[in-house]
Amino acid sequence: MASMIEENGPSTHSGVSSSSQARLKLDGLLNKNMRIRMTDGRTLVGLFLCTDRDCNVILGSAQEFLKSTDTFSQGEPRVLGLAMIPGHHVVSIEVEADSLEDTQGF
């Protein structure tokens, strides 16, 4: 039994498993603004609504920004609405800072 605990990582003092901690962290990110960069250079910005074990992500009120050749011009965003991003196309995910500051008051 001791080897099983070591394989799964160190136990936490609160008695909460690491998968429960990960779930709580994801729950805290729900409805936050996220910026997702994709393999083809596009960037999607929207509200984080859902993910699954394949790392697919659902964004609500999503806007698409194309990769700009000119560093000074971002161009007009294209409004997508509800968007599903396949996990294998995700390069990076960022939570926008103003979205996190809203929860700091709780």
Side-chain angles (χ1 to χ4, degrees):
M1 187 70 170
S3 65
M4 204 164 140
I5 293 172
E6 290 174 9
E7 289 175 10
N8 292 331
S11 62
T12 59
H13 296 291
S14 62
V16 179
S17 70
S18 61
S19 63
S20 295
Q21 289 177 344
R23 185 181 196 108
L24 288 172
K25 185 165 189 144
L26 275 177
D27 284 347
L29 296 175
L30 287 174
N31 297 315
K32 303 287 187 252
N33 280 325
M34 290 199 162
R35 177 181 315 270
I36 299 180
R37 289 189 177 85
M38 298 180 10
T39 54
D40 62 0
R42 292 180 293 164
T43 301
L44 298 181
V45 177
L47 293 175
F48 175 63
L49 298 179
C50 179
T51 189
D52 61 13
R53 52 179 81 142
D54 294 325
C55 297
N56 300 315
V57 178
I58 305 287
L59 291 181
S61 304
Q63 295 182 332
E64 175 188 50
F65 295 89
L66 297 177
K67 185 177 181 180
S68 178
T69 56
D70 181 13
T71 57
F72 295 108
S73 67
Q74 273 296 97
E76 287 292 316
R78 185 172 85 160
V79 177
L80 300 178
L82 194 62
M84 192 280 280
I85 302 101
H88 62 274
H89 287 295
V90 174
V91 173
S92 68
I93 298 176
E94 301 172 29
V95 179
E96 293 190 343
D98 60 341
S99 183
L100 286 176
E101 290 172 0
D102 294 342
T103 60
Q104 297 297 327
F106 288 116

